[in-house]
Amino acid sequence: MKNYRWALDLQLFSQEKTERATPKKREEARKKGQLAKSPELPAAFILLFVFLSFLMLGGYYKERLMSLFGLLLEQKLLMDVTTENVVTLFSDLMMQGLMLLAPIFVIALLVALLGNYMQIGILFTGEPLKMKFGKLNPVKGLKTIFSLHSVVEFVKNILKLLVIGLVVYATLMSEKDRILGLATVSIGNIFGFIASVTIRLGVEIGAILVAIAVFDYFYKRFEHEKSLRMSKQDIKDEHKKAEGDPLIKGKIRERQRRAALQRMMQQVPKADVVITNPTHFAIALQYDGAKMEAPKVVAKGMDFVALRIREIAKEHDVITMENKPLARALYERTDIGDTVPADLFQAVAEVLAYVYKLKNRVK
């Protein structure tokens, strides 16, 4: 009973996902679009850089706004309302609006592309767009709602609201005296004050959101690594798939060995002589002076295979000769299909000469 429990505990331990993902598992997850990515990071940087652009390109934005309102209030206010004039008006307004918003569009596009590239690199996949009916499962949906990920997202959103609220409150309270005195200043000063406070809040809130987004990105990486973890058994199974099941590979090699052995045995009846040890080794030689420059090894083996070679040779009246040194030398120095080494020509020639002499006597 103890051994059974120990084996069960060992099996359960091997199924626990405690190992880091292999490169193959990471590549498969990447192809499926499963990556550590925080969509809030590019959004936070876009907000921050857009408000910073207001500080750096303030003169440009002021000029564009003045052109826009000047077009309406100075040039087009008293124009005749005709189809041609209205089309021209809207074309001019659209052009002025595009020129005003062009820096914002460029900044948003560049920051979004750079933010995504820094997180996941270059990736084109349609896997996330595929219809997955498993997502319609209400039980799975409830698990997602009450999962740790949902709790973290809820806490993160509450934290963002609290921090942004505190920043706005602190900024407005620090400007309370100036806000109360706006009734006594000109409209230009009022707009200038509102713009400065708005840009200040935008930069501060953008910096806070960037800090929270960086934290969110590292948390997403932690979650991603956790989801990719593998058990020891998973790693073994992956290795088997990559390298091939050792049991199957062993069976294939065994079949190949049997086929090769069968082909070799079919060559034994064609041999002129079988040289033996006499029990441990057996080497079958064939020689045809018209086709071969030297005798060729057509079969060889030791122990059981040597015994089988001798049996087949006996069945087909192939002469068997005992020569221990020659048999060992041929077995160690040649493979099937090889010719006899030059330094063994003399010994093999003597054997073949004796064999031919015996065959002539039998005839």
Side-chain angles (χ1 to χ4, degrees), residues 165-182:
L166 288 173
V167 169
V168 172
Y169 176 78
T171 301
L172 294 179
M173 289 302 295
S174 65
E175 301 289 344
K176 183 176 71 171
D177 294 337
R178 293 186 63 184
I179 293 174
L180 294 176
L182 289 177

Side-chain angles (χ1 to χ4, degrees), residues 23-304:
K24 184 175 183 297
K25 178 74 175 289
R26 294 180 186 277
E27 184 62 26
E28 290 177 351
R30 180 177 176 81
K31 290 180 180 178
K32 295 178 181 178
Q34 300 173 359
L35 299 165
K37 175 185 174 183
S38 174
E40 297 187 8
L41 196 59
F45 273 110
I46 288 173
L47 179 65
L48 177 61
F49 281 106
V50 166
F51 276 98
L52 288 175
S53 74
F54 293 152
L55 292 175
M56 295 182 290
L57 303 175
Y60 174 83
Y61 287 116
K62 179 181 178 181
E63 182 181 348
R64 293 295 101 202
L65 282 172
M66 294 297 291
S67 298
L68 180 63
F69 285 103
L71 178 68
L72 283 174
L73 301 177
E74 295 179 0
Q75 301 178 25
K76 305 293 184 180
L77 185 62
L78 301 176
M79 73 174 184
D80 296 330
V81 181
T82 63
T83 302
E84 184 179 352
N85 289 340
V86 171
V87 171
T88 303
L89 173 63
F90 278 101
S91 299
D92 293 341
L93 289 176
M94 186 177 296
M95 182 59 64
Q96 293 294 334
L98 288 175
M99 293 177 67
L100 174 65
L101 298 176
I104 298 176
F105 290 154
V106 172
I107 290 172
L109 179 62
L110 292 178
V111 172
L113 292 176
L114 185 61
N116 283 280
Y117 176 78
M118 293 295 291
Q119 292 185 84
I120 63 174
I122 299 175
L123 176 65
F124 298 98
T125 178
E127 190 70 24
L129 302 177
K130 291 183 178 179
M131 178 66 71
K132 296 180 181 179
F133 294 100
K135 294 182 178 181
L136 301 177
N137 189 347
V139 176
K140 188 176 181 180
L142 288 174
K143 290 181 179 179
T144 303
I145 292 173
F146 296 102
S147 63
L148 178 62
H149 176 77
S150 299
V151 173
V152 172
E153 290 294 322
F154 175 76
V155 172
K156 182 183 64 179
N157 292 329
I158 293 297
L159 178 64
K160 286 195 293 187
L161 288 175
L162 289 175
V163 173
I164 292 173
L166 288 173
V167 169
V168 172
Y169 176 78
T171 301
L172 294 179
M173 289 302 295
S174 65
E175 301 289 344
K176 183 176 71 171
D177 294 337
R178 293 186 63 184
I179 293 174
L180 294 176
L182 289 177
T184 60
V185 300
S186 63
I187 294 178
N189 291 333
I190 292 175
F191 279 115
F193 171 74
I194 293 174
S196 64
V197 172
T198 303
I199 294 174
R200 176 184 169 188
L201 282 174
V203 173
E204 291 177 353
I205 292 172
I208 292 171
L209 292 179
V210 166
I212 295 176
V214 170
F215 166 79
D216 180 65
Y217 170 70
F218 284 107
Y219 176 74
K220 288 290 195 305
R221 285 189 59 179
F222 168 76
E223 271 194 332
H224 181 66
E225 290 293 328
K226 186 177 179 181
S227 67
L228 290 180
R229 283 181 187 173
M230 305 172 68
S231 64
K232 295 182 181 295
Q233 187 61 41
D234 292 336
I235 296 177
K236 291 180 180 178
D237 293 341
E238 182 183 292
H239 182 72
K240 285 182 179 179
K241 290 180 181 179
E243 301 294 334
D245 193 334
L247 182 61
I248 296 176
K249 291 176 70 176
K251 290 182 178 179
I252 293 174
R253 284 195 296 267
E254 179 63 21
R255 289 183 180 179
Q256 292 173 342
R257 189 187 67 81
R258 289 180 180 179
L261 182 62
Q262 185 177 3
R263 289 194 300 269
M264 183 184 72
M265 292 302 179
Q266 292 173 354
Q267 298 298 319
V268 174
K270 302 177 183 179
D272 293 309
V273 64
V274 173
I275 302 174
T276 65
N277 194 25
T279 56
H280 294 294
F281 301 103
I283 295 89
L285 299 177
Q286 182 187 22
Y287 179 64
D288 184 350
K291 299 179 180 179
M292 303 177 186
E293 296 181 358
K296 181 175 67 173
V297 177
V298 295
K300 74 170 191 174
M302 64 182 297
D303 297 333
F304 173 77

Side-chain angles (χ1 to χ4, degrees), residues 314-346:
K314 185 176 181 181
E315 292 173 3
H316 294 83
D317 297 327
V318 178
I319 296 175
T320 301
M321 290 190 62
E322 178 182 340
N323 189 326
K324 294 181 181 180
L326 182 59
R328 179 177 290 276
L330 288 171
Y331 184 85
E332 292 178 351
R333 296 174 58 185
T334 61
D335 289 324
I336 297 172
D338 291 350
T339 57
V340 173
D343 58 331
L344 298 179
F345 279 174
Q346 183 66 31

